[in-house]
Amino acid sequence: MHCTVVERELELKLVLSPERSVPVPARLSYRTDDPYAVHISFHINSEQPVDWTFARELLVEGVFRPCGDGDVRVWPTKANGRSVVLMALSSPDGEALLEAPTTLVSAWLERTLRMVPPGSEAEQLGLDDALHQLLAR
């Protein structure tokens, strides 16, 4: 099966406190062979990038309204007069609050949604065909 990848390099901010944040180079990626997920890789003082994977739907919704609970929470806000999306990530290894420019995230998400419209993810995986073949036996 053919896989298409939509990537976007951008600079996130790792929010350390209300007054302090540090720039973090990051890459957003979306793969048509994993149509329900988005992947974010970023470098924080480490050899290996830190990778997070979560539901694309969560990021799409989080651009407009607070959503998510548990390990990944996403919500829109303003920072210095600019629209930003905040992502709170928590794992056994620690927690991070990341800030991304809404315009960049939205434009990238739009590309993923044009490629695989919401509701058509299962077709990308060929689940219907596989199920049909299974039941036809």
Side-chain angles (χ1 to χ4, degrees), residues 83-102:
S83 291
V84 296
V85 179
L86 288 174
M87 292 173 274
L89 309 175
S90 60
S91 76
D93 299 328
E95 297 189 356
L97 180 60
L98 295 162
E99 178 188 297
T102 302

Side-chain angles (χ1 to χ4, degrees), residues 73-134:
R73 295 190 333 277
V74 185
W75 67 97
T77 190
K78 294 256 188 246
N80 304 322
R82 297 176 311 114
S83 291
V84 296
V85 179
L86 288 174
M87 292 173 274
L89 309 175
S90 60
S91 76
D93 299 328
E95 297 189 356
L97 180 60
L98 295 162
E99 178 188 297
T102 302
T103 49
L104 297 182
V105 173
S106 295
W108 174 78
L109 276 171
E110 220 158 88
R111 285 173 53 206
T112 77
L113 293 167
R114 274 200 303 271
M115 192 174 297
V116 179
S120 72
E121 293 92 349
E123 293 162 31
Q124 290 296 317
L125 296 173
L127 293 180
D128 292 344
D129 297 341
L131 194 60
H132 185 71
Q133 287 172 356
L134 194 65

Side-chain angles (χ1 to χ4, degrees), residues 32-102:
T32 56
D33 65 352
D34 188 7
Y36 291 102
V38 293
H39 307 273
I40 301 179
S41 302
F42 44 91
H43 292 269
I44 305 178
N45 308 330
S46 60
E47 291 279 300
Q48 295 299 311
V50 176
D51 294 311
W52 275 81
T53 300
F54 54 90
R56 175 175 71 164
E57 198 178 311
L58 192 61
L59 194 53
V60 169
E61 193 177 323
V63 168
F64 300 103
R65 67 187 75 83
C67 67
D69 51 25
D71 296 346
V72 180
R73 295 190 333 277
V74 185
W75 67 97
T77 190
K78 294 256 188 246
N80 304 322
R82 297 176 311 114
S83 291
V84 296
V85 179
L86 288 174
M87 292 173 274
L89 309 175
S90 60
S91 76
D93 299 328
E95 297 189 356
L97 180 60
L98 295 162
E99 178 188 297
T102 302

